Amino acid sequence: MTTTRPDADEAGALRDLEDGRSSVRLRAALAVGTAPDPRFVGKLLERCAIEPEFFVRDMLTWALTRHPVSVTLPGLLREVRSERARARSQALHTLSKIGDRQAWPAITGALLSDADDEVARSAWRAAVVLVPRGEEPGLAASLATQLGRGDRETRRSLSRALVELGDVVLPALRAAVTAPDPRVRAHALATERLLRDPDAGFAYAVEEAKRVVALGGSGPEGR
């Protein structure tokens, strides 16, 4: 439910969202989310694109989720096309929290393979939440093209996204275990291991996959 606040309060909250102290910005975002008002959506989106502090960004996202989707969605869809990596990443993160599948067409192949790892990770999470029923195999195939990418945290994020899609990812993973790049093979094997045993843990799955690749295998059938 939205409320209307006096102009003086609005000006104060807008000013606090730009304060040099992160604690003040955090309180301002909390206040805006507690008493949502469509007049704040533009400023929340603008701040998301430049906010340096993770906890403040998370509160800004929460504040946006408190507003009607009809008000927030158009701006978020513009932000995912921004030239600013942080704007794209945070807009995708917010879309994943809102979970409205109207946003699915915005999850493009360009975002799933974005050069910025944080944007790509946010796109993977959003895609898994927003993918329409029946389109999971196509998404799995797109995500599989990113196997072997980045540092351990990036690979962990991709594996989690693939595992959330369930068994539909198996054809893409099994194709990837024959890739020429050993990093791709190891990542595919680790993800398949997590799919079979989610409690195994990513680090253990990676080490086991590396051992299999080093021995020239391609998983259970190749040992």
Side-chain angles (χ1 to χ4, degrees), residues 204-215:
Y204 175 79
V206 166
E207 292 309 313
E208 181 185 39
K210 285 180 178 177
R211 181 178 63 82
V212 172
V213 169
L215 293 173

Side-chain angles (χ1 to χ4, degrees), residues 170 173-174 177 185-186 188-197 205 208-209 211-213 216-223:
L170 285 172
L173 292 178
R174 286 169 181 165
V177 298
R185 297 201 303 273
L189 285 168
T191 304
E192 189 172 357
R193 164 78 183 185
L194 282 176
L195 186 63
R196 295 196 313 270
D197 183 8
E208 181 185 39
R211 181 178 63 82
V212 172
V213 169
S218 58
E221 297 82 0
R223 293 180 191 172

Side-chain angles (χ1 to χ4, degrees), residues 58-215:
D58 224 34
M59 190 64 76
L60 291 166
T61 280
W62 174 78
L64 283 166
T65 67
R66 296 271 296 159
H67 291 77
V69 174
S70 60
V71 176
T72 57
L73 192 57
L76 289 168
L77 296 181
R78 286 193 301 272
E79 289 296 286
V80 299
R81 300 190 297 271
S82 171
E83 293 183 0
R84 288 178 179 265
R86 181 162 289 164
R88 298 196 302 277
S89 174
Q90 200 63 25
L92 288 162
H93 175 64
T94 305
L95 288 172
S96 74
K97 294 298 183 183
I98 292 173
D100 192 303
R101 286 180 172 168
Q102 292 181 81
W104 168 247
I107 310 301
T108 62
L111 286 171
L112 294 174
S113 59
D114 197 283
D116 185 282
D117 285 345
E118 186 56 42
V119 175
R121 287 197 295 266
S122 296
W124 301 336
R125 290 191 293 267
V128 168
V129 171
L130 301 174
V131 62
R133 188 179 300 278
E135 295 198 32
E136 296 91 346
L139 174 58
S142 294
L143 292 178
T145 66
Q146 302 302 299
L147 287 165
R149 168 181 174 165
D151 60 14
R152 177 164 290 202
E153 187 55 39
T154 298
R155 295 194 298 273
R156 188 200 312 268
S157 293
L158 181 58
S159 290
R160 286 174 175 168
L162 285 162
V163 167
E164 283 193 42
L165 290 175
D167 288 346
V168 298
V169 306
L170 285 172
L173 292 178
R174 286 169 181 165
V177 298
T178 63
D181 188 336
R183 293 172 301 179
V184 173
R185 297 201 303 273
H187 194 183
L189 285 168
T191 304
E192 189 172 357
R193 164 78 183 185
L194 282 176
L195 186 63
R196 295 196 313 270
D197 183 8
D199 295 328
F202 184 72
Y204 175 79
V206 166
E207 292 309 313
E208 181 185 39
K210 285 180 178 177
R211 181 178 63 82
V212 172
V213 169
L215 293 173

